[in-house]
Amino acid sequence: MTQTFEIAIIGAGMAGLSAATALSEAGHRVVLFDKSRGSGGRMSTKRTDSGDLDMGAQYFTARDSHFRQALQGWLDRGWVAEWSPRLFIRNEDELLESPDDQQRYVGSPRMTSLSRGLLENLEFISQTRITGLQHTDDERWELQDDTGASHGPFDRVVVATPAPQAVPLLGAAAHLEQAAAQVQMQPGWTLALGFAEPLDTAVEACFVRVGALDWISRNSSKPGRQGLDTWVLQSNPRWAMGNLETEKSQVCRELSTAFAEVLNIDLPKPAFELAHRWLYARSEGNCNWGALAAPEKGLYVCGDWCLGGRLENAWISGQQAAQTLLERK
Ligand code: FAD
Ligand code: NAI
């Protein structure tokens, strides 16, 4: 009979959920921890009276055959849907339609529908920030949280947080700690706007190559979204870096102005606005690590930063961490 492990996964974003589903399907007892109230991490949705607003990942693409297979299951369950926006690109001089044949997907009816679906039947301890991992004399792991409480023991631990948040948890394996410490993550600002009257534009999504923004999407054009005509604007990392401590009201003003310039319209007063700062939005450059491991200690690490900041990469990294753990048994 194969041995059943107790496995802690720290971080319930796409990477942690991916590892959790694979390990749980292999028959192990998995417990997910997250400092936030819900799951999904940077695949996040803010639920408001004006509609559900995807503040983090906007959509995803699927290139890897295993990921496409998982995606088919999610489509069948109705957790995700195709999104084919009218897509534009904004250069210095002009706003041009930029259609392509890239199929894009979104959680349905909100981005977090996917994380909620993946979390089904998994044990989840939310609002618990893990601050330390202790390797016990019998080679198991105790987890400490920021209230001083202890969780465990666990036979294996998978750290699935952004790199800077993984570093303080990896002291027991110097090579993992050093690898995570060398990954730089860039910040970003996201602004959501809602308008009582739909804006007069054909744009549903736009890659922006000028000014403060790098992405605009008409959130309400995604399948299943209800409420006002809502938009999500994302700053580029350079602008965010220069505005890390800027007041939210000022961020709203500056990104709204940039938005009006991109669309070349006079913007009416929004009925709703919400700004969110991401300290760790995306990793700089792409490592090709898949996942990291100190198998002799039963410690594994995954996250989008192990492959490059995309949802698909986060999922692949989680699968690879699970695979490495299962091979070591
Ligand atoms: P995360 O989603 O960050 O999950 C890590 C989790 O760990 C979080 O839930 C966090 O709360 C938790 N955590 C951290 N530290 C601790 C701790 N000490 N204890 C407990 N829990 C902890 N990707 C795309 O493919 N398409 C896009 O359009 C896209 N747009 C994006 C837009 C924005 C604004 C951002 C920020 C990201 C975007 N991405 C996009 C990237 C995508 O969101 C990420 O690649 C993916 O969600 C990362 O998943 P992850 O599991 O690696 O990390
Ligand atoms: P994708 O294939 O749609 O886009 C990849 C990149 O190709 C885009 O960023 C864009 O620069 C370019 N591109 C694609 N289609 C285009 C078109 N029709 N016209 C002009 N340019 C086009 O999606 P993929 O590879 O899955 O990437 C995920 C997305 O997530 C990217 O857009 C990336 O910028 C975004 N992202 C945003 C983060 C943030 O913090 N704002 C963090 C991580 C990812």
Side-chain angles (χ1 to χ4, degrees), residues 91 106 139 150 190 220-221 249 270:
N91 295 316
V106 293
E139 312 226 309
S150 211
T190 298
S220 46
S221 73
S249 55

Side-chain angles (χ1 to χ4, degrees), residues 73-106:
W74 306 338
L75 286 163
D76 293 344
R77 291 182 174 89
W79 299 344
V80 301
E82 294 179 355
W83 180 48
S84 304
R86 276 191 74 179
L87 187 58
F88 287 70
I89 181 163
R90 181 65 157 99
N91 295 316
E92 194 73 53
D93 303 323
E94 50 192 355
L95 177 65
L96 283 174
E97 191 147 9
S98 182
D100 59 29
D101 56 8
Q102 176 67 65
Q103 187 57 61
R104 296 180 175 83
Y105 302 88
V106 293

Side-chain angles (χ1 to χ4, degrees), residues 9-18 33-44 54-61 83 105 111 124-125 127-132 144-145 159-162 164-166 168-169 185-190 207 214-215 222 232-235 276 278-282 302-306 308-315 317:
I9 300 189
I10 305 168
M14 181 54 118
L17 288 166
S18 166
F33 293 87
D34 205 291
K35 63 183 173 58
S36 302
R37 201 147 52 86
S39 62
R42 279 171 282 157
M43 175 172 59
S44 84
D54 298 331
M55 299 297 283
Q58 297 294 293
Y59 65 85
F60 61 93
T61 56
W83 180 48
Y105 302 88
M111 214 60 196
F124 180 42
I125 301 184
Q127 299 181 89
T128 303
R129 182 192 291 269
I130 302 301
T131 51
Q144 279 80 46
D145 71 26
V159 175
T161 68
Q165 292 163 323
L169 302 177
M185 293 195 71
Q186 300 172 321
W189 273 102
T190 298
F207 293 108
D214 77 0
W215 168 259
K222 295 179 179 178
V232 173
L233 331 176
Q234 284 174 346
S235 82
H276 179 80
W278 299 94
L279 275 183
Y280 308 125
R282 66 173 100 198
C302 58
D304 64 343
W305 51 275
C306 292
R310 296 167 58 241
L311 268 177
E312 180 181 27
N313 287 340
W315 183 87
S317 180

